Amino acid sequence: MSIVKSKIRTIPDYPKPGILFRDITSLLIDPEGFQLTIGMFVERYQNSKLNKIAAIDARGFIPGAALAFQLGVGFVPIRKKGKLPGNTISESYALEYGVDHVEIHTDAIVPGDKVLIMDDLIATGGTLEASIKLIQNLKGQIHECSTIINLPDLGGAKRIKDTYGIDVYSICEFEGH
């Protein structure tokens, strides 16, 4: 964990003053760090009998696709509204100043699929919560949510557990926001 955490850079005042942006691109360009990250996810989920990895647009796609490939399971993109062709369903989530939406193809999950939801980071949990609702609407069974980074001071992982009974596994944590 400490190796992975040490490879994630912090960019102060991005995207606005007072925010400490946890940037995984520094982890992704480091072969040792990226391999270790995916290896930790593989070790955790290799015996979970998952059918699909559903990953959130856009940074969640990177570990999600790599893990789906390693486990030999399907990869499901959860995208921002208007980015997926074909039939989709949509779910809204709150932003600091407004509302946004994520979508999933209606045929991406079949009833009973055992699904892991992945993103790069959990803060308040809004996008993970919307993704949970999408998968539940398609009758998928959510095994767990997984992220590289948890920002526990913002309470998202606790809220997901308390509201939905779904654990959020994260490789490392950072204080603050």
Side-chain angles (χ1 to χ4, degrees), residues 22 122-124 150-158 173-177:
R22 309 304 179 171
I122 182 166
T124 63
N150 179 19
L151 303 178
D153 293 347
L154 296 177
K158 182 180 182 328
E173 294 182 345
F174 286 89
E175 291 181 2
H177 57 286

Side-chain angles (χ1 to χ4, degrees), residues 89-140:
I89 58 171
S90 179
E91 189 65 48
S92 64
Y93 63 96
L95 297 169
E96 189 172 352
Y97 298 106
V99 174
D100 208 344
H101 300 82
V102 288
E103 295 181 329
I104 190 171
H105 281 124
T106 56
D107 62 355
I109 305 292
V110 297
D113 270 348
K114 190 173 182 183
V115 181
L116 174 71
I117 303 174
M118 289 201 80
D119 206 356
D120 66 321
L121 177 144
I122 182 166
T124 63
T127 53
L128 270 177
E129 182 174 18
S131 299
I132 288 167
K133 290 176 181 179
L134 288 172
I135 292 166
Q136 288 178 337
N137 284 341
L138 295 174
K139 309 293 187 228

Side-chain angles (χ1 to χ4, degrees), residues 55-61 77-80 83 102 118-119:
I56 301 172
D57 195 347
R59 290 181 300 270
F61 291 173
I78 297 174
R79 304 255 3 230
K80 293 187 173 142
K83 300 291 185 181
V102 288
M118 289 201 80
D119 206 356

Side-chain angles (χ1 to χ4, degrees), residues 3-155:
I3 292 172
V4 171
K5 186 174 181 175
S6 74
K7 307 234 180 231
I8 297 168
R9 69 178 160 197
T10 299
I11 300 174
D13 299 320
Y14 182 83
K16 63 183 187 177
I19 301 293
L20 296 172
F21 186 81
R22 309 304 179 171
D23 181 20
I24 66 162
T25 61
S26 55
L27 171 68
L28 300 175
I29 63 174
D30 182 283
E32 175 192 26
F34 189 46
Q35 287 177 337
L36 181 60
T37 300
I38 300 306
M40 291 173 77
F41 287 132
V42 168
E43 184 176 324
R44 182 170 181 87
Y45 298 112
Q46 64 188 346
N47 297 316
S48 297
K49 298 183 179 164
L50 299 169
N51 301 102
K52 307 269 174 63
I53 306 292
I56 301 172
D57 195 347
R59 290 181 300 270
F61 291 173
I62 300 163
L67 181 60
F69 175 79
Q70 289 291 324
L71 297 180
V73 301
F75 175 78
V76 177
I78 297 174
R79 304 255 3 230
K80 293 187 173 142
K81 188 172 181 141
K83 300 291 185 181
L84 289 172
N87 294 327
T88 62
I89 58 171
S90 179
E91 189 65 48
S92 64
Y93 63 96
L95 297 169
E96 189 172 352
Y97 298 106
V99 174
D100 208 344
H101 300 82
V102 288
E103 295 181 329
I104 190 171
H105 281 124
T106 56
D107 62 355
I109 305 292
V110 297
D113 270 348
K114 190 173 182 183
V115 181
L116 174 71
I117 303 174
M118 289 201 80
D119 206 356
D120 66 321
L121 177 144
I122 182 166
T124 63
T127 53
L128 270 177
E129 182 174 18
S131 299
I132 288 167
K133 290 176 181 179
L134 288 172
I135 292 166
Q136 288 178 337
N137 284 341
L138 295 174
K139 309 293 187 228
Q141 298 173 357
I142 300 167
H143 173 71
E144 192 168 63
C145 295
S146 192
T147 65
I148 298 171
I149 302 166
N150 179 19
L151 303 178
D153 293 347
L154 296 177

